[in-house]
Amino acid sequence: MIREAHVNGIKLVYREEGDPASPPLLLIHGRTANHNDWNGITQHFAARYHVIVPDLRGHGASDHPGEYPLPGMAEDIAGLLDHLGVARATLVGHSLGGMVSYLLAMTHPGRVERLVLEDPAPPRPLAGREPIVEDGSTGFDWRMMHDTERQFLDPDPGWLKGLERITAPTLVLSGGAASPFDAAELAALIPGAELVTIEAGHLIHTSARGPFLRAVDDFLNGRLSGG
């Protein structure tokens, strides 16, 4: 079911699957994607969760407001939880969605039940990035690409310290040697975080769906320990 919410001054479009009485779980896509990026994954979790899959601002059918501060994108998700009457939810975020998820978990620790971060960038300045060249791609706002890239290259220094405030049990998934990001460093900065490496590159949930689902299921079911 595709729905929309008006939160934080914008329209967010989101998909809902599963029983609304089940524990809430949000799937938050990466940059340039939308809720369809989780097709198949959504149905897997909907068997036992109330799954909520938003299009982040600047993506898909959600508003393209022209401003894309990552903390504001985290507040969009907090507003969506308020709209749905959800006090606490499990968050699964990929890449940009992982950054949005950890910003939400550090600013609203009471809202996050469990946190799964799939190959996100740590909040340190990223070097060696190719400049963004616009092409004919659609489905997202190119201003979002430029605005978020600036924050990747020069993140707020407070975000690094903020990771210490995350209280939710956290799983960090690294794509291994082919990943552009050092997810292991991020895991070391979040108290008690567990790290699982799946040698699949950046798109773990599509390149290695089975290992991804097993790792997340084990974590959510409390079977994962020692990384």
Side-chain angles (χ1 to χ4, degrees):
M1 182 72 70
I2 304 294
R3 303 183 186 278
E4 63 181 55
H6 293 267
V7 301
N8 204 17
I10 63 165
K11 178 186 77 176
L12 277 192
V13 170
Y14 63 99
R15 188 163 99 219
E16 277 190 290
E17 302 273 356
D19 184 349
S22 295
L25 181 146
L26 271 71
L27 296 170
I28 304 178
H29 63 76
R31 194 162 69 162
T32 75
N34 59 42
H35 69 268
N36 288 311
D37 188 55
W38 296 107
N39 287 350
I41 305 287
T42 305
Q43 288 74 20
H44 173 86
F45 290 117
R48 64 189 190 283
Y49 290 95
H50 175 207
V51 181
I52 301 141
V53 199
D55 289 349
L56 292 171
R57 67 163 68 192
H59 296 77
S62 289
D63 277 350
H64 295 188
E67 295 184 344
Y68 300 96
L70 296 189
M73 295 170 85
E75 290 302 323
D76 294 346
I77 301 301
L80 179 59
L81 293 176
D82 290 342
H83 169 82
L84 292 164
V86 171
R88 288 166 65 87
T90 291
L91 303 182
V92 179
H94 174 238
S95 194
L96 174 67
M99 298 180 75
V100 170
S101 296
Y102 68 60
L103 288 168
L104 178 63
M106 72 173 70
T107 52
H108 300 284
R111 306 299 301 268
V112 182
E113 187 74 35
R114 283 178 174 264
L115 183 63
V116 177
L117 303 173
E118 179 194 352
D119 214 51
R124 291 192 190 278
L126 295 179
R129 303 270 290 178
E130 292 291 328
I132 290 173
V133 178
E134 295 191 23
D135 57 26
S137 298
T138 59
F140 59 89
D141 185 354
W142 279 100
R143 287 174 296 180
M144 174 279 302
M145 290 290 288
H146 295 290
D147 203 1
T148 54
E149 189 69 16
R150 282 193 292 271
Q151 295 169 82
F152 288 0
L153 296 173
D154 187 22
D156 184 329
W159 298 351
L160 199 62
K161 188 72 174 170
L163 294 172
E164 299 174 1
R165 299 199 301 272
I166 294 176
T167 57
T170 301
L171 170 64
V172 178
L173 293 172
S174 169
S179 167
F181 301 135
D182 187 354
E185 180 194 10
L186 179 69
L189 294 167
I190 297 174
E194 302 191 61
L195 174 70
V196 170
T197 299
I198 299 171
E199 293 290 345
H202 187 52
L203 301 173
I204 305 170
H205 69 279
T206 54
S207 300
R209 179 177 293 187
F212 171 84
L213 290 174
R214 283 193 294 276
V216 177
D217 281 342
D218 284 349
F219 172 69
L220 296 181
N221 295 330
R223 292 196 298 264
L224 201 62
S225 61

